[in-house]
Amino acid sequence: MRHDPRPPIGHRHRGIGLRLAALRAAGAGAWAAFLAVLGPGLLAGLSDDDPAGITTYSILGTEYGYRLLWIIPASTVLLIQFHLIAVRLGAVSGKGFVALVRSRWGRGWGYAAVLGLLFANFGTICAEYAGIAAAGAMVGVPAWLSAPIAGTLIAIMVVVGSFHRIERVLLLVSSTLVLYIVDGVLAAPDWRAVASGAVTPRLPLEPAGWVALAAALGTTLAPWGLAFIQSYAVDKKITVATLRWARVDVVIGSVLTGVVGLAIAVACAATLYPVRAHVETAADAAMALRPLAGSFATTLFGAALLGASLLAAAIVPISTAYSIAEATGEPASLGLDSRHFHWFYAAFVGLTVAAVSVVALPRLPLIPLIYSSQVVNAVLLPLQLLALNLLDADVAVVGDARPARWVRMLSWMSLGLVLACLAGMVWAWR
C-alpha cells in the first residue's frame, strides 16, 4: 500500500493550523502567528549565500568593484517573486515541486525533473563541504577530518531530530551570516559608489563580465532553493489560511539574502579591487583580506563561511531528498519516524556520504564536478521557472488562489530577463 507523502499532523511535528489555533486560544497576536510560519523563506533564502554564492559575490566585487553591484538587488527582486510562487503552489496543492510536476504532467516529467536536480545538486553539495573544509583549513584542520565530522553531525541531526528542533538549529546557524554584514561595514567602502553601483545598471563590456552577471543571478535564484522552499512549506503545513504570514517570511528571507550578498561584494570591492587581488574561492577572499583589512575581518569572513557552509550542507541534501522521495511517491518529510526505513532519509544520508567522500579525497575531480553542476543549474533554472509559471497559472492546480493577470505577466517578464542574461553570456562567448 502506498504511503501518503504528507505525514499526518501531529507525527513528530504539529501542523501550522493546530499551532495557530492554540495561539489564538491563548490570546496571541499577529506576531505569534508570524513566528508560527517563520522558516521556509529565511532558510531557503539565506542558504543561497552558500560557498558557491560567496565565491561568486567575492569575484564580482574583486574583479569589477562597485560597477556590477546592481545585479544583486535585481536578483533579489526575482528571488522574492519566484519564492512567493513556490510557497503559494505548496500551500494550495499540498505538494512539493517534483510531486506537483509528477501529478500534473506524469511520472516521466517527474523523473526528468528529479534527475536534473540530482545531478546539479550533487555538485553543489560537494561545494558546501568544500566550504567547510576551506574554513577548517584556515585554522589548520584538514579536509579529511572536518568534512566527515560535519557530515556525521548534520546527518544525525536530520535523521534523529524532530522537525522543529532541526528548524531551530538551522535558523540559529543562519544567523552567523550577519557577520558578512559586519565585514562589509568594516571594509569602509565608498558608500556613494555603493549606492550608485547598486541602483544603476551597467552592462559589462567583456565576456567575463557577462559570466559574472549570469553567475550572480544563478547563485541567488538557485533551482534547489526553489524546490526546497516549496517542499519545506508543505512539510511545515503552510496552508492558504497562513499564506499571508508565509509571504512576509519569504520577503524578509530574500531581502536578507540580498543584503548579505551585497555586503560580501562591497567588502571585496573596497579592499581587493583596488589592488587587483586574484580570487578563485571564498577562502581566497578571506585570506586576501588579512593584509588589507586586518585579521579580524579575515576571522569574520571565515566564521561566516563556516556557518554558510554548514547551513547549505544541510539544506541542499534535504531539498534533493524531498525531490527524490516525491518523484517516487514516497513520504517526503523531516517529521518521519526515523525508527523505520524511509527513502527520504536514505537519500539524504547517501548524498551526504558521497559528497563528504569526494571532498575528503583530494585526488577526486572536485572542481570539474562543481563546474559541470553549475552549467546544469544554468540550463535547469529557466526550465524550472517555466514550470512554476505554468503551474501558477493553471486553475486545476491553484484554483481560486490563481494570481492576478498582472502578477502572471510580471512572472513571464522575469523569465524573459533570466533568458536574456543567459543569452548575453552565450553571445559574449561566441
Side-chain angles (χ1 to χ4, degrees):
M1 180 177 176
R2 181 70 67 186
H3 293 289
D4 184 351
R6 300 185 67 193
I9 294 176
H11 189 243
R12 285 187 69 182
H13 68 280
R14 301 175 65 193
I16 293 295
L18 294 180
R19 295 178 68 200
L20 285 177
L23 290 169
R24 293 192 190 100
W31 176 246
F34 168 65
L35 291 179
V37 301
L38 182 69
L42 275 174
L43 294 177
L46 289 175
S47 58
D48 279 332
D49 290 325
D50 62 350
I54 296 165
T55 297
T56 299
Y57 299 136
S58 299
I59 293 175
L60 192 74
T62 300
E63 298 291 332
Y64 304 99
Y66 305 114
R67 187 158 56 97
L68 300 182
L69 290 181
W70 61 270
I71 190 61
I72 300 178
S75 299
T76 301
V77 173
L78 296 181
L79 184 67
I80 294 172
Q81 185 178 19
F82 285 104
H83 272 196
L84 286 174
I85 292 176
V87 168
R88 180 167 61 248
L89 287 173
V92 301
S93 69
K95 294 182 175 69
F97 174 71
V98 173
L100 191 55
V101 168
R102 182 176 185 264
S103 67
R104 189 68 185 90
W105 293 312
R107 292 183 180 181
W109 285 108
Y111 290 139
V114 76
L115 285 174
L117 287 168
L118 177 61
F119 184 76
N121 291 1
F122 181 67
T124 304
I125 298 168
C126 290
E128 319 307 2
Y129 280 100
I132 292 173
M138 293 175 65
V139 293
V141 180
W144 60 264
L145 182 60
S146 59
I149 289 177
T152 300
L153 293 177
I154 291 172
I156 290 174
M157 176 192 72
V158 170
V159 174
V160 178
S162 66
F163 179 92
H164 291 297
R165 286 177 182 171
I166 295 169
E167 185 177 62
R168 292 189 194 104
V169 171
L170 294 178
L171 288 173
L172 178 63
V173 173
S174 70
S175 66
T176 60
L177 272 72
V178 74
L179 297 176
Y180 280 124
I181 300 176
V182 177
D183 231 5
V185 174
L186 291 178
D190 181 344
W191 292 109
R192 183 174 296 180
V194 170
S196 176
V199 301
T200 307
R202 297 181 178 91
L203 297 180
L205 302 176
E206 63 282 347
W210 283 99
V211 174
L213 288 182
L217 178 64
T219 197
T220 304
L221 199 62
W224 59 263
L226 292 166
F228 170 79
I229 193 171
Q230 184 170 335
S231 296
Y232 193 80
V234 173
D235 201 2
K236 194 174 172 68
K237 312 297 185 198
I238 301 295
T239 64
V240 175
T242 57
L243 194 53
R244 178 177 58 149
W245 297 111
R247 292 191 184 105
V248 177
D249 173 49
V250 167
V251 173
I252 292 175
S254 299
V255 170
L256 284 176
T257 300
V259 169
V260 169
L262 199 61
I264 295 169
V266 165
C268 293
T271 55
L272 305 183
Y273 175 71
V275 299
R276 298 299 189 269
H278 180 66
V279 169
E280 291 186 350
T281 67
D284 292 341
M287 298 308 296
L289 286 172
R290 188 182 300 275
L292 300 169
S295 59
F296 184 57
T298 297
T299 301
L300 289 179
F301 204 99
L305 172 61
L306 177 60
S309 302
L310 289 170
L311 176 65
I315 296 293
V316 185
I318 289 173
S319 173
T320 314
Y322 276 139
S323 298
I324 292 173
E326 289 167 7
T328 57
E330 294 294 328
S333 173
L334 289 169
L336 298 172
D337 187 352
S338 59
R339 293 171 297 181
H340 299 88
F341 177 83
H342 293 284
W343 282 107
F344 173 80
Y345 290 135
F348 179 88
V349 173
L351 288 165
T352 299
V353 170
V356 167
S357 300
V358 169
V359 173
L361 299 176
R363 293 188 179 182
L364 291 179
L366 179 60
I367 299 302
L369 176 62
I370 294 174
Y371 178 78
S372 62
S373 72
Q374 300 311 304
V375 173
V376 175
N377 272 328
V379 175
L380 195 61
L381 177 59
L383 294 176
Q384 189 172 8
L385 298 183
L386 173 63
L388 287 173
N389 280 348
L390 291 174
L391 291 168
D392 198 39
D394 193 337
V395 177
V397 174
V398 296
D400 294 337
R402 188 187 188 196
R405 178 174 294 182
W406 68 270
V407 175
R408 286 181 276 128
M409 288 181 61
L410 283 178
S411 298
W412 287 109
M413 290 173 60
S414 298
L415 174 57
L417 289 175
V418 172
L419 290 172
C421 187
L422 295 175
M425 180 186 68
V426 174
W427 176 84
W429 278 101
R430 77 190 191 284

